[in-house]
């Protein structure tokens, strides 16, 4: 029970990472916010240490977060805090790209988590959808980089802490609607 609560708190903290950085830097000390984030990433690494399959990238992202926060604390430079969403998108882009050369593209792996008997005819659809997500991660990384290096902390927080999630939700909803309204409904079973 306690580990589920801790896991949920860590997931929530990392999901609202840009808000924590923004308000943390505005209201608290650099070291305090860095320590909080470092603790969250260390907990995330411990909680995902045994993860396998499609969730292995969680370990990589936790390690990336630990390194970024450690460098931020040592350098006392807030740009290191802001790099995390950019690197998340780049890691996911790489994971999805590598999956195109494996037996199953990443989206198919996710689809198989909920159902085992997906027809082989669905593979081209999953390949295209994986490429669509790659394009999303590339666009998201580009805008995230712009907010880091050209925008204000407010623009960075707004995009990485809100707009990117809305865009991701739109992509998920659009894909779900497309499957429901097309002949691909059979992949929902």
């Amino acid at each position: 029970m306690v580990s589920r609560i801790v896991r949920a708190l860590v997931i929530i903290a990392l999901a609202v990472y840009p808000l924590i950085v923004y308000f943390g830097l505005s209201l608290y000390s650099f070291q305090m916010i860095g320590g909080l984030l470092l603790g969250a990433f260390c907990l995330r690494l411990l909680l995902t240490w045994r993860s396998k399959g499609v969730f292995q990238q969680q370990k990589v992202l936790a390690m990336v977060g630990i390194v970024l926060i450690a460098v931020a604390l040592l350098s006392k430079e807030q740009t290191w805090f802001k790099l995390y969403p950019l690197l998340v998108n780049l890691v996911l882009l790489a994971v999805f790209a590598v999956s195109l050369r494996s037996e199953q593209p990443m989206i198919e792996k996710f689809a198989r988590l909920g159902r085992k008997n997906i027809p082989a005819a669905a593979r081209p659809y999953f390949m295209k959808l994986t490429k669509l997500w790659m394009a999303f991660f590339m666009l998201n990384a580009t805008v995230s980089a712009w907010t880091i290096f050209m925008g204000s902390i407010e623009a960075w927080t707004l995009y990485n802490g809100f707009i990117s999630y809305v865009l991701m939700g739109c992509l998920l909803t659009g894909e779900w609607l497309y499957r429901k309204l097309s002949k691909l409904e059979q992949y929902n079973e």
Side-chain angles (χ1 to χ4, degrees), residues 53-78:
V54 297
F55 296 107
Q56 275 191 309
Q57 69 267 21
Q58 295 296 324
K59 288 187 281 193
V60 173
L61 293 174
M63 289 186 266
V64 165
I66 290 168
V67 170
L68 287 175
I69 300 305
V71 172
L73 287 169
L74 292 172
S75 69
K76 294 181 174 57
E77 173 57 49
Q78 72 174 344

PDB file of all heavy atoms in Angstrom, residues 53-78:
ATOM      1  N   GLY A  53      10.839  -4.840 -20.658  1.00  0.00           N
ATOM      2  CA  GLY A  53       9.976  -4.632 -21.816  1.00  0.00           C
ATOM      3  C   GLY A  53       9.779  -3.174 -22.139  1.00  0.00           C
ATOM      4  O   GLY A  53      10.713  -2.386 -22.111  1.00  0.00           O
ATOM      5  N   VAL A  54       8.531  -2.811 -22.434  1.00  0.00           N
ATOM      6  CA  VAL A  54       8.224  -1.466 -22.916  1.00  0.00           C
ATOM      7  C   VAL A  54       8.431  -0.389 -21.857  1.00  0.00           C
ATOM      8  O   VAL A  54       8.469   0.792 -22.182  1.00  0.00           O
ATOM      9  CB  VAL A  54       6.777  -1.372 -23.477  1.00  0.00           C
ATOM     10  CG1 VAL A  54       6.616  -2.260 -24.672  1.00  0.00           C
ATOM     11  CG2 VAL A  54       5.750  -1.686 -22.408  1.00  0.00           C
ATOM     12  N   PHE A  55       8.607  -0.776 -20.596  1.00  0.00           N
ATOM     13  CA  PHE A  55       8.761   0.219 -19.542  1.00  0.00           C
ATOM     14  C   PHE A  55      10.209   0.432 -19.115  1.00  0.00           C
ATOM     15  O   PHE A  55      10.477   1.162 -18.180  1.00  0.00           O
ATOM     16  CB  PHE A  55       7.890  -0.152 -18.339  1.00  0.00           C
ATOM     17  CG  PHE A  55       6.431  -0.127 -18.674  1.00  0.00           C
ATOM     18  CD1 PHE A  55       5.717  -1.302 -18.798  1.00  0.00           C
ATOM     19  CD2 PHE A  55       5.774   1.072 -18.911  1.00  0.00           C
ATOM     20  CE1 PHE A  55       4.370  -1.288 -19.126  1.00  0.00           C
ATOM     21  CE2 PHE A  55       4.435   1.100 -19.240  1.00  0.00           C
ATOM     22  CZ  PHE A  55       3.730  -0.085 -19.353  1.00  0.00           C
ATOM     23  N   GLN A  56      11.153  -0.177 -19.825  1.00  0.00           N
ATOM     24  CA  GLN A  56      12.563  -0.009 -19.474  1.00  0.00           C
ATOM     25  C   GLN A  56      13.033   1.427 -19.623  1.00  0.00           C
ATOM     26  O   GLN A  56      13.943   1.853 -18.914  1.00  0.00           O
ATOM     27  CB  GLN A  56      13.440  -0.923 -20.319  1.00  0.00           C
ATOM     28  CG  GLN A  56      13.565  -2.302 -19.744  1.00  0.00           C
ATOM     29  CD  GLN A  56      14.633  -3.086 -20.452  1.00  0.00           C
ATOM     30  OE1 GLN A  56      14.645  -3.164 -21.667  1.00  0.00           O
ATOM     31  NE2 GLN A  56      15.537  -3.644 -19.690  1.00  0.00           N
ATOM     32  N   GLN A  57      12.436   2.183 -20.529  1.00  0.00           N
ATOM     33  CA  GLN A  57      12.872   3.564 -20.712  1.00  0.00           C
ATOM     34  C   GLN A  57      12.633   4.396 -19.456  1.00  0.00           C
ATOM     35  O   GLN A  57      13.252   5.445 -19.281  1.00  0.00           O
ATOM     36  CB  GLN A  57      12.241   4.224 -21.940  1.00  0.00           C
ATOM     37  CG  GLN A  57      10.775   4.491 -21.851  1.00  0.00           C
ATOM     38  CD  GLN A  57       9.927   3.378 -22.425  1.00  0.00           C
ATOM     39  OE1 GLN A  57      10.365   2.246 -22.544  1.00  0.00           O
ATOM     40  NE2 GLN A  57       8.698   3.683 -22.768  1.00  0.00           N
ATOM     41  N   GLN A  58      11.779   3.932 -18.551  1.00  0.00           N
ATOM     42  CA  GLN A  58      11.553   4.643 -17.290  1.00  0.00           C
ATOM     43  C   GLN A  58      12.841   4.736 -16.480  1.00  0.00           C
ATOM     44  O   GLN A  58      13.115   5.756 -15.848  1.00  0.00           O
ATOM     45  CB  GLN A  58      10.454   3.957 -16.470  1.00  0.00           C
ATOM     46  CG  GLN A  58       9.091   4.001 -17.106  1.00  0.00           C
ATOM     47  CD  GLN A  58       8.587   5.423 -17.240  1.00  0.00           C
ATOM     48  OE1 GLN A  58       8.818   6.269 -16.394  1.00  0.00           O
ATOM     49  NE2 GLN A  58       7.889   5.685 -18.319  1.00  0.00           N
ATOM     50  N   LYS A  59      13.644   3.655 -16.510  1.00  0.00           N
ATOM     51  CA  LYS A  59      14.929   3.674 -15.812  1.00  0.00           C
ATOM     52  C   LYS A  59      15.865   4.693 -16.445  1.00  0.00           C
ATOM     53  O   LYS A  59      16.530   5.450 -15.737  1.00  0.00           O
ATOM     54  CB  LYS A  59      15.581   2.285 -15.845  1.00  0.00           C
ATOM     55  CG  LYS A  59      14.919   1.275 -14.960  1.00  0.00           C
ATOM     56  CD  LYS A  59      15.716  -0.003 -14.919  1.00  0.00           C
ATOM     57  CE  LYS A  59      15.453  -0.813 -16.158  1.00  0.00           C
ATOM     58  NZ  LYS A  59      15.928  -2.186 -16.095  1.00  0.00           N
ATOM     59  N   VAL A  60      15.906   4.694 -17.760  1.00  0.00           N
ATOM     60  CA  VAL A  60      16.776   5.632 -18.473  1.00  0.00           C
ATOM     61  C   VAL A  60      16.378   7.064 -18.148  1.00  0.00           C
ATOM     62  O   VAL A  60      17.226   7.915 -17.852  1.00  0.00           O
ATOM     63  CB  VAL A  60      16.727   5.382 -20.002  1.00  0.00           C
ATOM     64  CG1 VAL A  60      17.485   6.453 -20.769  1.00  0.00           C
ATOM     65  CG2 VAL A  60      17.259   3.996 -20.333  1.00  0.00           C
ATOM     66  N   LEU A  61      15.081   7.351 -18.177  1.00  0.00           N
ATOM     67  CA  LEU A  61      14.607   8.706 -17.891  1.00  0.00           C
ATOM     68  C   LEU A  61      14.909   9.113 -16.449  1.00  0.00           C
ATOM     69  O   LEU A  61      15.246  10.269 -16.183  1.00  0.00           O
ATOM     70  CB  LEU A  61      13.117   8.824 -18.190  1.00  0.00           C
ATOM     71  CG  LEU A  61      12.745   8.704 -19.668  1.00  0.00           C
ATOM     72  CD1 LEU A  61      11.233   8.677 -19.839  1.00  0.00           C
ATOM     73  CD2 LEU A  61      13.369   9.816 -20.478  1.00  0.00           C
ATOM     74  N   ALA A  62      14.811   8.178 -15.527  1.00  0.00           N
ATOM     75  CA  ALA A  62      15.157   8.479 -14.134  1.00  0.00           C
ATOM     76  C   ALA A  62      16.642   8.802 -14.016  1.00  0.00           C
ATOM     77  O   ALA A  62      17.034   9.758 -13.337  1.00  0.00           O
ATOM     78  CB  ALA A  62      14.780   7.306 -13.230  1.00  0.00           C
ATOM     79  N   MET A  63      17.484   8.029 -14.697  1.00  0.00           N
ATOM     80  CA  MET A  63      18.928   8.286 -14.656  1.00  0.00           C
ATOM     81  C   MET A  63      19.273   9.629 -15.305  1.00  0.00           C
ATOM     82  O   MET A  63      20.130  10.374 -14.804  1.00  0.00           O
ATOM     83  CB  MET A  63      19.699   7.140 -15.314  1.00  0.00           C
ATOM     84  CG  MET A  63      19.682   5.875 -14.480  1.00  0.00           C
ATOM     85  SD  MET A  63      20.723   4.573 -15.155  1.00  0.00           S
ATOM     86  CE  MET A  63      19.551   3.655 -16.116  1.00  0.00           C
ATOM     87  N   VAL A  64      18.603   9.941 -16.415  1.00  0.00           N
ATOM     88  CA  VAL A  64      18.802  11.246 -17.067  1.00  0.00           C
ATOM     89  C   VAL A  64      18.434  12.361 -16.097  1.00  0.00           C
ATOM     90  O   VAL A  64      19.168  13.347 -15.955  1.00  0.00           O
ATOM     91  CB  VAL A  64      17.966  11.340 -18.369  1.00  0.00           C
ATOM     92  CG1 VAL A  64      17.860  12.769 -18.869  1.00  0.00           C
ATOM     93  CG2 VAL A  64      18.561  10.443 -19.450  1.00  0.00           C
ATOM     94  N   GLY A  65      17.314  12.215 -15.411  1.00  0.00           N
ATOM     95  CA  GLY A  65      16.888  13.216 -14.440  1.00  0.00           C
ATOM     96  C   GLY A  65      17.890  13.389 -13.309  1.00  0.00           C
ATOM     97  O   GLY A  65      18.204  14.519 -12.911  1.00  0.00           O
ATOM     98  N   ILE A  66      18.415  12.282 -12.807  1.00  0.00           N
ATOM     99  CA  ILE A  66      19.408  12.343 -11.720  1.00  0.00           C
ATOM    100  C   ILE A  66      20.642  13.119 -12.173  1.00  0.00           C
ATOM    101  O   ILE A  66      21.130  14.010 -11.459  1.00  0.00           O
ATOM    102  CB  ILE A  66      19.779  10.916 -11.243  1.00  0.00           C
ATOM    103  CG1 ILE A  66      18.589  10.291 -10.504  1.00  0.00           C
ATOM    104  CG2 ILE A  66      21.032  10.939 -10.368  1.00  0.00           C
ATOM    105  CD1 ILE A  66      18.722   8.799 -10.244  1.00  0.00           C
ATOM    106  N   VAL A  67      21.137  12.812 -13.363  1.00  0.00           N
ATOM    107  CA  VAL A  67      22.327  13.499 -13.877  1.00  0.00           C
ATOM    108  C   VAL A  67      22.054  14.989 -14.068  1.00  0.00           C
ATOM    109  O   VAL A  67      22.856  15.840 -13.657  1.00  0.00           O
ATOM    110  CB  VAL A  67      22.813  12.845 -15.195  1.00  0.00           C
ATOM    111  CG1 VAL A  67      23.881  13.695 -15.871  1.00  0.00           C
ATOM    112  CG2 VAL A  67      23.333  11.438 -14.927  1.00  0.00           C
ATOM    113  N   LEU A  68      20.923  15.326 -14.692  1.00  0.00           N
ATOM    114  CA  LEU A  68      20.596  16.737 -14.923  1.00  0.00           C
ATOM    115  C   LEU A  68      20.487  17.524 -13.625  1.00  0.00           C
ATOM    116  O   LEU A  68      21.006  18.640 -13.515  1.00  0.00           O
ATOM    117  CB  LEU A  68      19.300  16.872 -15.714  1.00  0.00           C
ATOM    118  CG  LEU A  68      19.364  16.510 -17.185  1.00  0.00           C
ATOM    119  CD1 LEU A  68      17.976  16.580 -17.806  1.00  0.00           C
ATOM    120  CD2 LEU A  68      20.319  17.416 -17.926  1.00  0.00           C
ATOM    121  N   ILE A  69      19.806  16.964 -12.639  1.00  0.00           N
ATOM    122  CA  ILE A  69      19.616  17.675 -11.380  1.00  0.00           C
ATOM    123  C   ILE A  69      20.954  17.799 -10.642  1.00  0.00           C
ATOM    124  O   ILE A  69      21.260  18.855 -10.076  1.00  0.00           O
ATOM    125  CB  ILE A  69      18.558  16.989 -10.489  1.00  0.00           C
ATOM    126  CG1 ILE A  69      17.204  16.927 -11.204  1.00  0.00           C
ATOM    127  CG2 ILE A  69      18.436  17.695  -9.145  1.00  0.00           C
ATOM    128  CD1 ILE A  69      16.659  18.257 -11.687  1.00  0.00           C
ATOM    129  N   ALA A  70      21.771  16.747 -10.683  1.00  0.00           N
ATOM    130  CA  ALA A  70      23.084  16.821 -10.036  1.00  0.00           C
ATOM    131  C   ALA A  70      23.938  17.918 -10.679  1.00  0.00           C
ATOM    132  O   ALA A  70      24.569  18.712  -9.978  1.00  0.00           O
ATOM    133  CB  ALA A  70      23.789  15.466 -10.123  1.00  0.00           C
ATOM    134  N   VAL A  71      23.944  17.986 -12.017  1.00  0.00           N
ATOM    135  CA  VAL A  71      24.708  19.021 -12.710  1.00  0.00           C
ATOM    136  C   VAL A  71      24.135  20.409 -12.390  1.00  0.00           C
ATOM    137  O   VAL A  71      24.890  21.369 -12.181  1.00  0.00           O
ATOM    138  CB  VAL A  71      24.748  18.765 -14.237  1.00  0.00           C
ATOM    139  CG1 VAL A  71      25.376  19.933 -14.977  1.00  0.00           C
ATOM    140  CG2 VAL A  71      25.504  17.478 -14.539  1.00  0.00           C
ATOM    141  N   ALA A  72      22.814  20.515 -12.333  1.00  0.00           N
ATOM    142  CA  ALA A  72      22.184  21.796 -11.986  1.00  0.00           C
ATOM    143  C   ALA A  72      22.617  22.250 -10.593  1.00  0.00           C
ATOM    144  O   ALA A  72      22.963  23.421 -10.391  1.00  0.00           O
ATOM    145  CB  ALA A  72      20.662  21.685 -12.058  1.00  0.00           C
ATOM    146  N   LEU A  73      22.617  21.324  -9.650  1.00  0.00           N
ATOM    147  CA  LEU A  73      23.001  21.676  -8.284  1.00  0.00           C
ATOM    148  C   LEU A  73      24.471  22.074  -8.195  1.00  0.00           C
ATOM    149  O   LEU A  73      24.827  23.013  -7.481  1.00  0.00           O
ATOM    150  CB  LEU A  73      22.695  20.517  -7.329  1.00  0.00           C
ATOM    151  CG  LEU A  73      21.220  20.306  -7.021  1.00  0.00           C
ATOM    152  CD1 LEU A  73      20.990  18.994  -6.289  1.00  0.00           C
ATOM    153  CD2 LEU A  73      20.676  21.471  -6.209  1.00  0.00           C
ATOM    154  N   LEU A  74      25.314  21.356  -8.926  1.00  0.00           N
ATOM    155  CA  LEU A  74      26.746  21.671  -8.901  1.00  0.00           C
ATOM    156  C   LEU A  74      27.063  22.994  -9.603  1.00  0.00           C
ATOM    157  O   LEU A  74      27.898  23.761  -9.145  1.00  0.00           O
ATOM    158  CB  LEU A  74      27.552  20.541  -9.536  1.00  0.00           C
ATOM    159  CG  LEU A  74      27.572  19.229  -8.748  1.00  0.00           C
ATOM    160  CD1 LEU A  74      28.234  18.117  -9.565  1.00  0.00           C
ATOM    161  CD2 LEU A  74      28.297  19.416  -7.412  1.00  0.00           C
ATOM    162  N   SER A  75      26.374  23.257 -10.706  1.00  0.00           N
ATOM    163  CA  SER A  75      26.658  24.462 -11.492  1.00  0.00           C
ATOM    164  C   SER A  75      25.832  25.672 -11.054  1.00  0.00           C
ATOM    165  O   SER A  75      26.144  26.797 -11.424  1.00  0.00           O
ATOM    166  CB  SER A  75      26.400  24.192 -12.972  1.00  0.00           C
ATOM    167  OG  SER A  75      25.017  24.028 -13.204  1.00  0.00           O
ATOM    168  N   LYS A  76      24.768  25.393 -10.300  1.00  0.00           N
ATOM    169  CA  LYS A  76      23.818  26.440  -9.888  1.00  0.00           C
ATOM    170  C   LYS A  76      23.233  27.173 -11.108  1.00  0.00           C
ATOM    171  O   LYS A  76      22.980  28.368 -11.068  1.00  0.00           O
ATOM    172  CB  LYS A  76      24.471  27.419  -8.916  1.00  0.00           C
ATOM    173  CG  LYS A  76      24.846  26.787  -7.603  1.00  0.00           C
ATOM    174  CD  LYS A  76      25.454  27.798  -6.663  1.00  0.00           C
ATOM    175  CE  LYS A  76      25.716  27.269  -5.288  1.00  0.00           C
ATOM    176  NZ  LYS A  76      26.547  26.125  -5.142  1.00  0.00           N
ATOM    177  N   GLU A  77      23.000  26.430 -12.166  1.00  0.00           N
ATOM    178  CA  GLU A  77      22.469  26.986 -13.416  1.00  0.00           C
ATOM    179  C   GLU A  77      21.116  26.331 -13.696  1.00  0.00           C
ATOM    180  O   GLU A  77      21.025  25.113 -13.883  1.00  0.00           O
ATOM    181  CB  GLU A  77      23.453  26.717 -14.557  1.00  0.00           C
ATOM    182  CG  GLU A  77      22.964  27.094 -15.930  1.00  0.00           C
ATOM    183  CD  GLU A  77      22.561  28.563 -16.046  1.00  0.00           C
ATOM    184  OE1 GLU A  77      23.340  29.434 -15.620  1.00  0.00           O
ATOM    185  OE2 GLU A  77      21.446  28.807 -16.556  1.00  0.00           O
ATOM    186  N   GLN A  78      20.047  27.132 -13.755  1.00  0.00           N
ATOM    187  CA  GLN A  78      18.692  26.599 -13.901  1.00  0.00           C
ATOM    188  C   GLN A  78      18.409  25.979 -15.267  1.00  0.00           C
ATOM    189  O   GLN A  78      17.463  25.207 -15.416  1.00  0.00           O
ATOM    190  CB  GLN A  78      17.652  27.655 -13.572  1.00  0.00           C
ATOM    191  CG  GLN A  78      17.496  28.747 -14.594  1.00  0.00           C
ATOM    192  CD  GLN A  78      16.344  29.665 -14.246  1.00  0.00           C
ATOM    193  OE1 GLN A  78      15.493  29.333 -13.434  1.00  0.00           O
ATOM    194  NE2 GLN A  78      16.317  30.822 -14.878  1.00  0.00           N
TER     195      GLN A  78
END
